[in-house]
């Protein structure tokens, strides 16, 4: 694909990562515009169906951001998100799909720098990997 | 309490019916859910309450059309002080009942779990041809198949099953590694189970070594077969190209979800309005890749079902039996669920006190996830 720009769907927790993204913005930090942020109340509230739907419809990557372990606004949502991620990765591996396109990261409201760096890193990572096979594959 | 009971006139099935009759007459149970012959001689399930009607019950019937946990899910959502129902179920059915109890779909209160050994079953469809008019078919099955691991006519789920003895039960009725013409194994694991055995003539003893060895041998053979099947599966299924091919014939009928004993939502997310698109929306989605497969989002359905259900999957394989386009779901779900459950050192239906992996967590686990 000639003009390949990675397309990332991001699920950002309202209390930490979304605020971290906000801080990156208000601090005028530069990072690639490849991620479409979706604000969710908790990383533990993101069902696998939304990650899978994004991937199967052709997103090159899915980013999930939550509070650091121990800092969840709802006490344990991110621990549950972590377990669900383990399950998700196991299933992707079992059927031979690439779970390397789905990133879960803990980014607090104070970590604007970390947010900008992580999105930059993920965009570059996906640029190297090339477009997702599901971008063209319509028979899913 | 554990030991053996005498089998009369080489008929273990009649002996079990005799136990049923006793339990119903003594009022220890108000009804028993048991496999039974249908009007067509195929397999069905009956809730028998009158001992006179026990001739219809076929506790050792080796055919399965439905995982009976689905039926328990329908009838025992709540308990009642006015009913005490004995569930005479196979190991995979009991495992599913245990999972559904943990998922708060089945109330334990009115139920007594009676688990029977199961060396494997045939599909209910076509079973009348397998059985013919042989009235002694069930007993022959118990006699001949108990030590035989590789019956290719069994349901695919059964061919890979390594749990021929129930994992959780109040009472286990067993025949594997025994001489079922003369004696059956009975083992009460709880007070409910002990109550059932009171008054019966039991030769108390420890589980015979022959039984332990026969069960272990059967499990080992099945594990080897599973490994071979998964090796073949991987050649046909791994990776995006092949995975899409594997599910290419899917009609989106959702049968696999409807017959699944542990798929417990009253309304499936995939039947909800979330997946209703109007025609303009369909066109908009189609424009993204230039075309959309119809019916749409079948791959999403299967992958999501895996994410939702694999930790409770009991690998009964009833999904494959119910698939109108014969997608090889039993082996696929065997592999995926084994891998998923082992991540959390979990085994579905193993223990009522073991929490479901997704409702619990430890702070100091999976520390790399989310960090790199």
């Amino acid at each position: 694909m000639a003009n390949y720009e990675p397309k990332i769907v991001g699920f950002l927790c309202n209390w930490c990562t979304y605020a971290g993204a906000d801080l990156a913005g208000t601090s005028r930090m530069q990072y690639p515009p490849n991620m479409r942020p979706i604000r969710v109340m908790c990383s533990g509230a993101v069902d696998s169906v939304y990650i899978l739907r994004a991937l199967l419809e052709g997103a090159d990557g899915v980013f999930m951001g939550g509070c650091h372990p121990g800092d969840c606004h709802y006490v344990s949502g991110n621990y549950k998100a972590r377990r669900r991620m383990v399950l998700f990765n196991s299933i992707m591996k079992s059927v031979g799909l690439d779970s390397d396109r789905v990133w879960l990261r803990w980014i607090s409201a104070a970590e604007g720098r970390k947010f900008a760096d992580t999105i930059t890193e993920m965009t570059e990572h996906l640029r190297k990997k090339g477009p997702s096979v599901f971008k063209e594959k319509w028979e899913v | 309490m554990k030991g053996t009971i005498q089998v009369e006139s080489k008929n273990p099935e009649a002996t079990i019916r005799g136990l049923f009759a006793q339990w119903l007459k003594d009022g220890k149970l108000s009804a028993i859910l048991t496999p039974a012959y249908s009007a067509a001689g195929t397999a069905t399930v009956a809730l028998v309450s009158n001992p006179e009607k026990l001739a219809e019950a076929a506790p050792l019937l080796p055919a399965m059309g439905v995982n009976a946990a689905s039926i328990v899910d329908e009838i025992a959502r709540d308990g009642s002080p006015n009913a005490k129902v004995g569930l005479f179920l196979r190991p995979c059915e009991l495992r599913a009942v245990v999972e559904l109890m943990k998922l708060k779909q089945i109330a334990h209160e009115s139920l007594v779990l009676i688990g029977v050994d199961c060396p494997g079953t045939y599909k209910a469809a076509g079973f009348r041809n397998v059985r013919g008019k042989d009235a002694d078919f069930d007993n022959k099955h118990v006699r001949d198949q108990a030590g035989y691991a590789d019956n290719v006519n069994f349901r695919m789920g059964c061919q890979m099953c390594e749990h021929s003895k129930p994992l959780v039960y109040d009472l286990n009725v067993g025949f594997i590694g025994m001489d079922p013409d003369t004696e059956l194994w009975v083992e009460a694991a709880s007070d409910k189970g002990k109550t059932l055995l009171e008054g019966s003539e039991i030769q108390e003893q420890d589980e015979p070594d022959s039984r332990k060895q026969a069960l272990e041998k059967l499990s080992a053979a099945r594990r080897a077969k599973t490994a071979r099947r998964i090796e073949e599966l991987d050649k046909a299924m791994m990776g995006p190209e092949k995975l899409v091919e594997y599910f290419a014939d899917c009609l989106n009928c959702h049968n696999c979800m409807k017959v699944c004993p542990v798929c417990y939502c009253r309304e499936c997310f995939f039947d909800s309005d979330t997946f209703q698109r109007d025609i303009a929306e369909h066109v908009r989605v189609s424009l993204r890749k230039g075309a959309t497969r119809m019916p749409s989002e079948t791959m999403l359905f299967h992958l999501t079902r895996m994410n939702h259900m694999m930790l409770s999957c009991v690998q009964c394989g009833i999904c494959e039996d119910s698939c109108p386009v014969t997608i090889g779901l039993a082996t696929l779900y065997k592999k995926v669920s084994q891998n998923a459950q082992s991540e959390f050192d979990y085994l579905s239906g193993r223990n009522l006190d073991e929490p479901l992996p997704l409702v619990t967590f430890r702070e100091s686990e999976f520390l790399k996830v989310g960090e790199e």
Side-chain angles (χ1 to χ4, degrees):
Chain A
M1 215 176 275
N3 299 315
Y4 166 58
E5 271 299 326
K7 197 180 267 190
I8 305 172
V9 175
F11 296 99
L12 314 183
C13 127
N14 177 60
W15 305 99
C16 292
T17 312
Y18 194 85
D22 221 16
L23 180 62
T26 48
S27 312
R28 298 177 177 271
M29 290 169 190
Q30 295 286 320
Y31 64 92
N34 298 50
M35 189 204 57
R36 282 79 173 149
I38 299 171
R39 183 165 64 155
V40 294
M41 289 313 284
C42 181
S43 55
V46 181
D47 192 283
S48 347
V49 70
Y50 302 109
I51 304 176
L52 287 164
R53 200 180 207 181
L55 289 177
L56 290 173
E57 297 227 340
D60 298 296
V62 173
F63 175 80
M64 267 179 55
C67 309
H68 283 268
D71 289 350
C72 177
H73 185 75
Y74 306 104
V75 183
S76 61
N78 50 2
Y79 288 119
K80 289 175 181 168
R82 187 165 70 182
R83 281 209 158 204
R84 208 176 293 152
M85 204 64 207
V86 172
L87 171 65
F88 183 85
N89 288 342
S90 161
I91 290 171
M92 294 291 269
K93 192 173 164 212
S94 291
V95 297
L97 294 182
D98 188 3
S99 60
D100 196 24
R101 291 182 180 273
V102 182
W103 285 24
L104 170 69
R105 293 293 182 272
W106 314 127
I107 298 172
S108 80
E111 292 175 322
R113 185 74 263 161
K114 184 175 178 187
F115 179 82
D117 289 349
T118 306
I119 298 304
T120 310
E121 186 192 347
M122 186 171 187
T123 307
E124 288 317 309
H125 178 74
L126 292 172
R127 206 185 294 283
K128 265 184 225 128
K129 272 181 97 75
S132 155
V133 53
F134 293 113
K135 215 169 195 109
E136 296 284 326
K137 204 161 186 52
W138 63 273
E139 308 99 321
V140 292
Chain B
M1 193 189 280
K2 52 191 171 180
T4 58
I5 51 168
Q6 205 76 33
V7 167
E8 300 297 330
S9 48
K10 298 191 173 186
N11 193 340
E13 189 160 57
T15 305
I16 296 174
R17 268 192 221 109
L19 289 172
F20 286 2
Q22 205 56 50
W23 296 334
L24 291 174
K25 277 183 200 144
D26 294 349
K28 287 178 182 171
L29 297 174
S30 37
I32 298 171
L33 191 77
T34 168
Y37 284 114
S38 73
T42 49
T44 188
V45 180
L47 185 66
V48 185
S49 51
N50 183 344
E52 308 281 311
K53 284 282 186 190
L54 278 171
E56 329 278 325
L60 297 176
L61 176 126
M64 201 163 147
V66 56
N67 184 315
S70 305
I71 297 166
V72 183
D73 188 18
E74 289 294 320
I75 65 174
R77 209 161 301 155
D78 300 302
S80 161
N82 302 320
K84 190 151 220 188
V85 175
L87 305 177
F88 195 83
L89 301 180
R90 303 181 181 95
C92 60
E93 296 174 323
L94 275 180
R95 287 175 65 198
V97 166
V98 167
E99 286 302 297
L100 288 166
M101 282 176 176
K102 290 192 211 176
L103 290 160
K104 307 211 186 315
Q105 303 300 306
I106 293 179
H108 201 161
E109 182 192 345
S110 300
L111 304 176
V112 184
L113 312 183
I114 311 166
V116 63
D117 286 0
C118 174
T121 57
Y122 300 91
K123 278 191 202 179
F127 179 60
R128 66 177 105 176
N129 301 327
V130 176
R131 181 194 175 216
K133 294 209 181 307
D134 188 350
D136 199 38
F137 186 88
D138 299 0
N139 289 328
K140 278 189 188 140
H141 177 80
V142 162
R143 232 171 268 144
D144 304 340
Q145 300 290 335
Y148 181 57
D150 206 15
N151 187 331
V152 293
N153 296 316
F154 279 168
R155 301 171 46 251
M156 190 49 78
C158 295
Q159 291 186 39
M160 293 181 289
C161 173
E162 60 201 86
H163 299 291
S164 296
K165 179 189 171 174
L167 299 175
V168 173
Y169 49 82
D170 293 307
L171 178 67
N172 171 217
V173 178
F175 52 81
I176 293 173
M178 313 291 291
D179 173 14
D181 285 343
T182 58
E183 57 183 13
L184 288 173
W185 173 253
V186 286
E187 180 178 344
S190 71
D191 288 343
K192 280 182 181 176
K194 272 183 205 150
T195 312
L196 290 185
L197 287 184
E198 274 163 18
S200 300
E201 269 188 49
I202 297 171
Q203 209 76 37
E204 285 201 50
Q205 61 176 84
D206 282 334
E207 193 170 33
D209 286 340
S210 64
R211 177 167 162 75
K212 285 184 196 157
Q213 283 158 8
L215 284 164
E216 189 35 56
K217 202 175 140 204
L218 197 55
S219 300
R222 294 277 170 75
R223 276 195 290 272
K225 170 136 196 178
T226 304
R228 287 198 300 276
R229 294 266 326 158
I230 289 178
E231 217 169 282
E232 281 168 38
L233 169 80
D234 284 353
K235 285 182 206 147
M237 178 276 295
M238 290 291 272
E241 301 290 337
K242 287 182 182 166
L243 184 68
V244 171
E245 269 180 52
Y246 202 76
F247 283 103
D249 296 333
C250 178
L251 306 171
N252 212 22
C253 69
H254 293 189
N255 261 0
C256 47
M257 170 267 282
K258 282 168 195 150
V259 297
C260 178
V262 292
C263 233
Y264 63 95
C265 295
R266 295 291 151 216
E267 187 195 22
C268 179
F269 181 60
F270 280 87
D271 291 335
S272 71
D273 289 347
T274 312
F275 289 85
Q276 301 298 316
R277 287 170 169 163
D278 68 15
I279 190 159
E281 176 83 355
H282 272 294
V283 172
R284 196 184 62 75
V285 170
S286 171
L287 275 169
R288 205 174 291 148
K289 298 184 189 181
T292 319
R293 177 202 192 267
M294 289 289 163
S296 64
E297 303 204 297
T298 48
M299 198 71 238
L300 179 67
F301 169 74
H302 289 289
L303 285 173
T304 305
R305 213 174 97 70
M306 286 179 207
N307 272 277
H308 287 177
M309 294 329 300
M310 280 307 100
L311 292 172
S312 286
C313 174
V314 295
Q315 302 143 358
C316 65
I318 210 81
C319 43
E320 174 163 332
D321 299 345
S322 311
C323 179
V325 291
T326 62
I327 296 171
L329 294 171
T331 316
L332 178 64
Y333 284 179
K334 180 92 184 173
K335 177 190 179 188
V336 177
S337 64
Q338 262 181 0
N339 289 351
Q341 292 177 18
S342 71
E343 289 280 358
F344 302 97
D345 296 320
Y346 185 77
L347 179 66
S348 57
R350 172 171 61 188
N351 184 343
L352 263 170
D353 301 322
E354 195 175 18
L356 295 161
L358 289 188
V359 304
T360 185
F361 64 89
R362 286 195 305 275
E363 288 178 12
S364 57
E365 64 179 5
F366 308 123
L367 293 176
K368 284 191 168 172
V369 181
E371 302 287 354
E372 59 181 35

